[in-house]
Amino acid sequence: MMLDWDTLYAECMSCQKCGLAETRTNVVFGEGPRDAEVMFIGEGPGEQEDKTGRPFVGRAGKFLDDMLAMIDLDRSKVFIGNMVKCRPPQNRDPLNTEQEACIGYLRNQVALLKPKIIVCLGRISAIKLIRDDYKITKEHGQWVEKAGIQMTAIYHPSALLRDPRKRPETFEDLKELQSKIRDLCTHTY
Ligand code: URA
Ligand code: SF4
């Protein structure tokens, strides 16, 4: 069942569909304009996100802001969300069962926003949203169309913090993203 934005938000805020509900502080719904043309999807909230209820506000989030700035994108122009809306304990990868429990909310968000472009941040969302045998090391920066939406994946900002050698190739991916945005998006960025 497709819910409107406010109903969906309310459902998420009180969701108990997976075990992460027991340890979360806040549900991180994701944020951005209701007519965002570009969505960035990470893995799941970390400590700062769990505390504040906002996506990508910790160290990885600051780095994501820097990545966006390189292509003149501001986070206020795009939607930023995650595969799971509640923090996995100790920042472990979200389990497949948790992702399956949560993905309906993300699909509902996509259906309402109708973005032109979805950028997966890291392998977790790429595997779930693009292809279940997606290889981020090999395939980052490649584009595929799914249901009329242009999709790509780039390295997760945390991976780029850990391994600066990955940054030059990510800069190339970001440049490609910038040109896709210029081709496809109608809002001014
Ligand atoms: N890492 C993620 O994948 N998502 C966040 O919101 C923060 C860090
Ligand atoms: Fe519900 Fe998703 Fe949070 Fe699990 S992670 S409790 S499915 S909102």
Side-chain angles (χ1 to χ4, degrees), residues 33 126 163 184:
D163 185 1
L184 298 178

Side-chain angles (χ1 to χ4, degrees), residues 16-183:
Q16 302 279 343
K17 285 206 291 181
C18 85
L20 298 179
E22 281 155 45
T23 46
R24 75 178 177 229
T25 310
N26 286 294
V27 177
V28 181
F29 185 69
E31 62 189 26
R34 302 278 175 99
D35 60 351
E37 295 181 295
V38 186
M39 292 178 89
F40 287 86
I41 306 299
E43 213 172 287
E47 187 182 12
Q48 293 308 311
E49 292 77 21
D50 179 63
K51 266 188 193 152
T52 58
R54 299 185 56 213
F56 281 98
V57 290
R59 210 161 99 83
K62 296 279 174 295
F63 198 74
L64 177 61
D65 289 344
D66 293 344
M67 290 161 66
L68 298 180
M70 284 178 186
I71 55 167
D72 299 320
L73 257 193
D74 188 273
R75 71 148 64 208
S76 65
K77 303 277 195 243
V78 299
F79 185 89
I80 301 179
N82 280 301
M83 282 316 302
V84 294
K85 298 191 187 310
C86 303
R87 183 191 184 198
Q90 282 86 48
N91 300 339
R92 64 158 170 75
D93 289 353
L95 305 174
N96 203 45
T97 49
E98 293 159 352
Q99 294 185 56
E100 283 301 321
C102 207
I103 198 167
Y105 297 133
L106 179 61
R107 293 202 190 288
N108 200 330
Q109 288 173 315
V110 171
L112 293 171
L113 285 172
K114 299 187 179 66
K116 304 264 182 17
I117 291 171
I118 295 180
V119 182
C120 300
L121 297 171
R123 59 179 283 277
I124 297 278
S125 56
I127 282 174
K128 210 69 185 173
L129 301 178
I130 300 179
R131 241 186 38 252
D132 63 9
D133 60 347
Y134 194 88
K135 296 279 180 288
I136 188 87
T137 320
K138 261 208 194 133
E139 298 180 69
H140 68 85
Q142 294 178 17
W143 289 83
V144 293
E145 192 190 307
K146 274 185 106 175
I149 302 173
Q150 288 292 323
M151 316 244 335
T152 191
I154 61 177
Y155 283 118
H156 193 287
S158 301
L160 297 168
L161 283 168
R162 273 197 307 272
D163 185 1
R165 289 169 305 178
K166 292 186 167 80
R167 292 178 192 177
E169 21 179 351
T170 302
F171 185 62
E172 293 307 311
D173 296 347
L174 288 168
K175 286 295 197 188
E176 280 299 314
L177 170 61
Q178 182 175 39
S179 102
K180 278 274 188 225
I181 289 173
R182 285 185 178 142
D183 286 349

